[in-house]
């Protein structure tokens, strides 16, 4: 089974850590987050992996080589200029089956195999792993009619389905991604919607942490030891 890992971003919000290392090589529990992801992919049967690299790509290539050390086959697509979170996919002409796409800064216990099966059972080009999250508003919110206040709620929380940065895609989705220019996942979603293509989401309650800020990185290291048997079931250390 095929998987693509997006590792090309500079991780500006994670500075100064990412001044010397690409975000995917930052250690979580004494091993790079990318290594955790690769071992999870292998455990769930995704043994053919493409890493879409950009910033500090040689460090990633040196660390993982061809992937045989970890029981997978890894190939690299290296961008010469930033192509966004979806642009690099346009050159993946070797992929002929539905593939999993994951960002390199995601720590999760999501069952990737079950996620893939959910996608295959449906009829969409794209399935988004999602969670329902409460989004707090740290203000008093008014309900109004003209200049009159008809209701008032102090610091309400609204729930919303949010993307986990993990996707299942069918190869035909590449037709909606232009070549040789920056294109992001939200752009892909908008293109599919405009073309009346169905998009599904896979709601789940697995542990999920997007390591986008230093505080998230701290939490990832705090949570790793507790979650290690679930994160790495065949490599408990």
């Amino acid at each position: 089974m095929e998987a693509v890992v997006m590792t090309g971003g500079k991780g500006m919000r994670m500075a100064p850590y990412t001044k010397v290392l690409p975000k995917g090589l930052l250690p979580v529990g004494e091993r790079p987050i990318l290594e955790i992801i690769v071992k999870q992919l292998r455990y769930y049967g995704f043994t053919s992996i493409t890493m879409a690299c950009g910033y500090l790509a040689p460090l990633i290539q040196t660390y993982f080589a061809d992937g045989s050390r970890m029981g997978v086959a890894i190939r690299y697509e290296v961008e010469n200029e930033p192509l966004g979170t979806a642009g690099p996919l346009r050159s993946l002409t070797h992929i002929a089956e539905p593939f999993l796409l994951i960002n390199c800064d995601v720590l999760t216990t999501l069952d990737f195999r079950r996620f893939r099966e959910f996608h295959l059972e449906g009829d969409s080009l794209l399935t988004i792993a999602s969670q329902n999250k409460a989004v707090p508003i740290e203000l008093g919110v008014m309900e109004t009619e003209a200049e009159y206040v008809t209701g008032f709620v102090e610091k309400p929380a609204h729930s919303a389905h949010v993307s986990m940065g993990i996707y299942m895609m069918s190869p035909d989705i590449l037709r909606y991604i232009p070549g040789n220019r920056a294109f992001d996942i939200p752009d892909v979603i908008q293109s599919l919607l405009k073309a009346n293509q169905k998009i599904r989401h896979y709601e789940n309650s697995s542990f999920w942490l997007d390591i986008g800020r230093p505080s998230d990185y701290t939490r990832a290291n705090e949570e790793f030891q507790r979650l290690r048997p679930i994160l790495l079931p065949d490599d408990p250390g």
Side-chain angles (χ1 to χ4, degrees), residues 9-193:
K10 291 186 177 182
M12 300 299 291
R13 292 183 299 165
M14 285 294 293
Y17 303 117
T18 48
K19 292 293 185 181
V20 293
L21 286 175
K23 186 160 53 173
L25 291 186
L26 293 178
V28 173
E30 300 182 354
R31 66 183 71 198
I33 178 63
L34 258 178
E35 181 177 337
I36 295 171
I37 291 172
V38 167
K39 288 184 175 181
Q40 288 178 315
L41 291 170
R42 181 196 64 198
Y43 176 77
Y44 288 111
F46 293 85
T47 55
S48 179
I49 299 172
T50 300
M51 290 191 181
C53 304
Y55 178 65
L56 298 178
L59 294 181
I60 295 173
Q61 292 171 303
T62 298
Y63 188 89
F64 289 98
D66 64 359
S68 57
R69 174 171 61 90
M70 298 181 188
V72 297
I74 297 178
R75 62 183 293 164
Y76 301 91
E77 291 288 337
V78 180
E79 58 189 26
N80 296 319
E81 57 185 39
L83 294 177
T85 55
L89 299 176
R90 192 66 176 84
S91 61
L92 303 185
T93 55
H94 66 284
I95 294 182
E97 64 181 54
F99 61 95
L100 184 145
L101 174 68
I102 184 170
N103 294 334
C104 72
D105 56 358
V106 174
L107 188 68
T108 184
T109 58
L110 178 68
D111 185 326
F112 296 148
R113 185 187 296 273
R114 187 173 299 174
F115 178 41
R116 181 179 187 271
E117 291 170 353
F118 179 86
H119 175 75
L120 295 178
E121 291 166 358
D123 58 352
S124 66
L125 296 182
L126 172 66
T127 303
I128 305 170
S130 72
Q131 291 196 347
N132 193 283
K133 294 292 185 182
V135 182
I137 299 176
E138 299 297 330
L139 300 167
V141 175
M142 297 183 294
E143 298 173 2
T144 62
E145 185 175 328
E147 71 268 31
Y148 296 98
V149 176
T150 59
F152 185 89
V153 182
E154 178 67 14
K155 297 181 179 179
H158 296 283
S159 63
H161 285 97
V162 299
S163 169
M164 297 170 63
I166 310 170
Y167 314 89
M168 279 298 307
M169 298 180 170
S170 296
D172 282 349
I173 201 172
L174 302 183
R175 296 188 288 111
Y176 296 88
I177 301 174
N180 301 316
R181 71 177 178 89
F183 209 67
D184 292 319
I185 292 296
D187 299 321
V188 177
I189 293 171
Q190 292 298 333
S191 294
L192 292 174
L193 292 174

Side-chain angles (χ1 to χ4, degrees), residues 198-237:
K198 295 178 181 177
I199 300 174
R200 301 172 76 214
H201 74 102
Y202 178 69
E203 184 177 354
N204 66 92
S205 58
S206 61
F207 175 84
W208 165 59
L209 180 61
D210 178 355
I211 308 174
R213 299 165 298 180
S215 59
D216 301 320
Y217 182 51
T218 298
R219 184 186 169 199
N221 277 282
E222 292 172 347
E223 296 278 9
F224 179 78
Q225 290 303 327
R226 179 179 69 84
L227 294 169
R228 183 171 187 155
I230 307 172
L231 287 165
L232 297 170
D234 64 342
D235 182 26

